[in-house]
Amino acid sequence: MRQLAALFLFLGISFGTSLTSTAQVVTTGADSARVATPAVVEAPDTTRKWKPISQWSRPAKAAFYSAVLPGLGQAYNKSYWKIPLVYAAGGVIGFFIYDNNRKYQDFAKALRIRLDGDSTTVDAYANTTGVYSADLANNQGTLNLRRSRDFFRKYRDLDIILGVVAWGLNIMEAHVDAHLKAFDVSEELSLQLKPNLQHMGGTTSYSAGLTLQLNLK
C-alpha cells in the first residue's frame, strides 16, 4: 500500500514538473530559446490628405486657376490669345442674361400691377395702343403680358445655364491644353500617307490601298 501511494506521489510530482517546464520560456542563458511573436500590423491610413497647390500636376493647376478666374488657366498655359475669346463669350452671354432679366422683370411688374385689383395703380402698358393694351378684347393685352413675361424668363434661365456650361468648358479647355503641352510635337514626328498593296483574303490577288504611317522617334 505504501508502495502504491509512493508511486502516485511520484507520478504527480513528475506530471506537475512537466507542466511547469513546458509553460516556462527561457529567455536568458546558453540554452535560451527565441519565441516567435506575431508582427504588429499597422492599419493603413485611409484619410485623404490635402496636398498644397505647389504639389499639384500642371493640368490640375490650370483647371483650378480657370475655375477661380476664367482665363487665368489659359494664362498659366501661356495661351494668351485664348483669353479674349473667353471673355468675349462671357460678355455676350452676360449681356443676354442681363437683357432678358430686365425685360422679364418689366413684364412681371406690369402684370402684377394689372392683376392687383387696385384701380388706382396703372401699369406702363395699360394705356398704350400696342398688343399689351388693357383695352384689347377678351383680355388679350393681359394674356400677351403673361406670354412675354414667361418668354423672357425662359431665355434668361437658358442663358444662365449656357453661362455655367461656358464656365465649365473654360476649365476643361485649360486642363486639356495643359496635358497637350507635355506632348512631343517635334519635327522628328511625321504623319505620311503612302500607297500600299493589301492581300485579298482567300485569293492570290492584291488590291491597291493607302497606308497612314506615323513615324515616331
Side-chain angles (χ1 to χ4, degrees), residues 140-183:
Q140 191 63 41
T142 303
L143 294 177
N144 290 334
L145 277 178
R146 182 176 285 109
R147 292 192 188 98
S148 295
R149 180 203 61 179
D150 296 342
F151 174 85
F152 288 109
R153 178 175 58 188
K154 179 181 72 172
Y155 280 95
R156 180 205 61 180
D157 295 344
L158 289 175
D159 289 335
I160 292 174
I161 296 173
L162 184 60
V164 174
V165 172
W167 176 73
L169 290 176
N170 149 74
I171 298 173
M172 184 184 300
E173 194 282 329
H175 186 270
V176 173
D177 189 38
H179 273 293
L180 294 177
K181 293 292 184 181
F183 285 0

Side-chain angles (χ1 to χ4, degrees), residues 17-31:
T17 304
S18 64
L19 287 179
T20 305
S21 62
T22 56
Q24 290 178 345
V25 177
V26 180
T27 58
T28 61
D31 297 331

Side-chain angles (χ1 to χ4, degrees), residues 98-175:
Y98 165 77
D99 188 58
N100 287 327
N101 181 68
R102 179 180 60 83
K103 292 176 180 177
Y104 159 70
Q105 296 293 345
D106 184 48
F107 285 111
K109 179 181 178 181
L111 187 62
R112 285 195 304 269
I113 294 175
R114 184 170 298 188
L115 298 178
D116 63 0
D118 188 356
S119 59
T120 60
T121 58
V122 180
D123 63 89
Y125 300 95
N127 297 324
T128 61
T129 57
V131 295
Y132 305 113
S133 175
D135 297 330
L136 294 180
N138 300 322
N139 209 23
Q140 191 63 41
T142 303
L143 294 177
N144 290 334
L145 277 178
R146 182 176 285 109
R147 292 192 188 98
S148 295
R149 180 203 61 179
D150 296 342
F151 174 85
F152 288 109
R153 178 175 58 188
K154 179 181 72 172
Y155 280 95
R156 180 205 61 180
D157 295 344
L158 289 175
D159 289 335
I160 292 174
I161 296 173
L162 184 60
V164 174
V165 172
W167 176 73
L169 290 176
N170 149 74
I171 298 173
M172 184 184 300
E173 194 282 329
H175 186 270

Side-chain angles (χ1 to χ4, degrees), residues 8 16 20 23 31 42 64 66 79 84 95 100 115 126 130 137 151 153 166 176 188 191 214:
F8 280 118
T20 305
D31 297 331
E42 296 183 358
F64 175 75
S66 282
S79 299
F95 169 77
N100 287 327
L115 298 178
F151 174 85
R153 178 175 58 188
V176 173
E188 298 185 27
L191 188 65
L214 176 63

